[in-house]
mmCIF file of all heavy atoms in Angstrom:
data_model
loop_
_atom_site.group_PDB
_atom_site.id
_atom_site.type_symbol
_atom_site.label_atom_id
_atom_site.label_comp_id
_atom_site.label_asym_id
_atom_site.label_seq_id
_atom_site.Cartn_x
_atom_site.Cartn_y
_atom_site.Cartn_z
ATOM 1 N N VAL A 227 66.479 42.058 100.620
ATOM 2 C CA VAL A 227 67.847 42.127 101.043
ATOM 3 C C VAL A 227 68.248 40.936 101.902
ATOM 4 O O VAL A 227 69.435 40.557 101.981
ATOM 5 C CB VAL A 227 68.149 43.488 101.795
ATOM 6 C CG1 VAL A 227 67.425 43.548 103.142
ATOM 7 C CG2 VAL A 227 69.616 43.709 101.939
ATOM 8 N N MET A 228 67.303 40.360 102.585
ATOM 9 C CA MET A 228 67.649 39.198 103.436
ATOM 10 C C MET A 228 67.886 37.960 102.730
ATOM 11 O O MET A 228 68.416 36.949 103.276
ATOM 12 C CB MET A 228 66.375 39.017 104.480
ATOM 13 C CG MET A 228 66.182 40.174 105.374
ATOM 14 S SD MET A 228 64.911 39.829 106.665
ATOM 15 C CE MET A 228 63.486 39.660 105.768
ATOM 16 N N THR A 229 67.594 37.912 101.414
ATOM 17 C CA THR A 229 67.867 36.700 100.613
ATOM 18 C C THR A 229 68.751 37.072 99.435
ATOM 19 O O THR A 229 68.784 36.409 98.401
ATOM 20 C CB THR A 229 66.567 36.068 100.111
ATOM 21 O OG1 THR A 229 65.823 37.059 99.406
ATOM 22 C CG2 THR A 229 65.713 35.544 101.238
ATOM 23 N N HIS A 230 69.480 38.146 99.584
ATOM 24 C CA HIS A 230 70.379 38.606 98.468
ATOM 25 C C HIS A 230 71.469 37.538 98.250
ATOM 26 O O HIS A 230 71.995 36.939 99.156
ATOM 27 C CB HIS A 230 71.059 39.936 98.875
ATOM 28 C CG HIS A 230 71.798 40.613 97.749
ATOM 29 N ND1 HIS A 230 73.013 40.198 97.300
ATOM 30 C CD2 HIS A 230 71.467 41.630 96.955
ATOM 31 C CE1 HIS A 230 73.423 40.948 96.292
ATOM 32 N NE2 HIS A 230 72.460 41.832 96.062
ATOM 33 N N PRO A 231 71.859 37.239 96.989
ATOM 34 C CA PRO A 231 72.805 36.185 96.714
ATOM 35 C C PRO A 231 74.178 36.430 97.451
ATOM 36 O O PRO A 231 74.751 35.450 97.812
ATOM 37 C CB PRO A 231 73.037 36.327 95.184
ATOM 38 C CG PRO A 231 71.664 36.900 94.700
ATOM 39 C CD PRO A 231 71.225 37.795 95.767
ATOM 40 N N ALA A 232 74.554 37.705 97.621
ATOM 41 C CA ALA A 232 75.849 37.964 98.282
ATOM 42 C C ALA A 232 75.726 37.480 99.736
ATOM 43 O O ALA A 232 76.737 36.988 100.347
ATOM 44 C CB ALA A 232 76.168 39.412 98.257
ATOM 45 N N LEU A 233 74.626 37.735 100.348
ATOM 46 C CA LEU A 233 74.409 37.248 101.740
ATOM 47 C C LEU A 233 74.321 35.732 101.863
ATOM 48 O O LEU A 233 74.978 35.158 102.714
ATOM 49 C CB LEU A 233 73.090 37.863 102.273
ATOM 50 C CG LEU A 233 72.877 37.878 103.728
ATOM 51 C CD1 LEU A 233 73.973 38.761 104.449
ATOM 52 C CD2 LEU A 233 71.492 38.387 104.135
ATOM 53 N N LEU A 234 73.598 35.056 100.949
ATOM 54 C CA LEU A 234 73.510 33.616 100.996
ATOM 55 C C LEU A 234 74.835 32.980 100.698
ATOM 56 O O LEU A 234 75.131 31.969 101.310
ATOM 57 C CB LEU A 234 72.422 33.205 99.935
ATOM 58 C CG LEU A 234 70.991 33.752 100.178
ATOM 59 C CD1 LEU A 234 70.110 33.203 99.082
ATOM 60 C CD2 LEU A 234 70.471 33.247 101.621
ATOM 61 N N ALA A 235 75.648 33.549 99.840
ATOM 62 C CA ALA A 235 76.918 32.919 99.554
ATOM 63 C C ALA A 235 77.889 33.009 100.637
ATOM 64 O O ALA A 235 78.777 32.201 100.719
ATOM 65 C CB ALA A 235 77.551 33.701 98.284
ATOM 66 N N SER A 236 77.644 33.877 101.587
ATOM 67 C CA SER A 236 78.569 33.972 102.729
ATOM 68 C C SER A 236 78.217 33.073 103.925
ATOM 69 O O SER A 236 78.886 33.002 104.934
ATOM 70 C CB SER A 236 78.614 35.412 103.227
ATOM 71 O OG SER A 236 77.383 35.732 103.814
ATOM 72 N N GLN A 237 77.133 32.290 103.737
ATOM 73 C CA GLN A 237 76.583 31.451 104.840
ATOM 74 C C GLN A 237 76.453 30.054 104.405
ATOM 75 O O GLN A 237 76.370 29.762 103.218
ATOM 76 C CB GLN A 237 75.148 32.009 105.257
ATOM 77 C CG GLN A 237 75.139 33.419 105.770
ATOM 78 C CD GLN A 237 75.946 33.546 107.047
ATOM 79 O OE1 GLN A 237 75.588 33.043 108.064
ATOM 80 N NE2 GLN A 237 77.063 34.344 106.979
ATOM 81 N N ASP A 238 76.521 29.149 105.381
ATOM 82 C CA ASP A 238 76.081 27.757 105.098
ATOM 83 C C ASP A 238 74.754 27.525 105.856
ATOM 84 O O ASP A 238 74.278 28.379 106.633
ATOM 85 C CB ASP A 238 77.134 26.769 105.569
ATOM 86 C CG ASP A 238 77.544 26.818 107.002
ATOM 87 O OD1 ASP A 238 76.548 26.824 107.814
ATOM 88 O OD2 ASP A 238 78.673 26.822 107.343
ATOM 89 N N ALA A 239 74.161 26.438 105.540
ATOM 90 C CA ALA A 239 72.817 26.218 106.027
ATOM 91 C C ALA A 239 72.686 26.245 107.528
ATOM 92 O O ALA A 239 71.726 26.648 108.162
ATOM 93 C CB ALA A 239 72.273 24.869 105.555
ATOM 94 N N ARG A 240 73.691 25.774 108.259
ATOM 95 C CA ARG A 240 73.622 25.682 109.714
ATOM 96 C C ARG A 240 73.832 27.089 110.328
ATOM 97 O O ARG A 240 73.500 27.240 111.563
ATOM 98 C CB ARG A 240 74.691 24.720 110.211
ATOM 99 C CG ARG A 240 76.146 25.212 110.049
ATOM 100 C CD ARG A 240 77.145 24.354 110.695
ATOM 101 N NE ARG A 240 78.450 24.942 110.608
ATOM 102 C CZ ARG A 240 79.429 24.590 111.396
ATOM 103 N NH1 ARG A 240 79.229 23.674 112.374
ATOM 104 N NH2 ARG A 240 80.594 25.126 111.379
#
Side-chain angles (χ1 to χ4, degrees):
V227 68
M228 297 187 294
T229 57
H230 192 282
L233 196 64
L234 298 178
S236 67
Q237 301 293 295
D238 60 46
R240 66 176 188 158

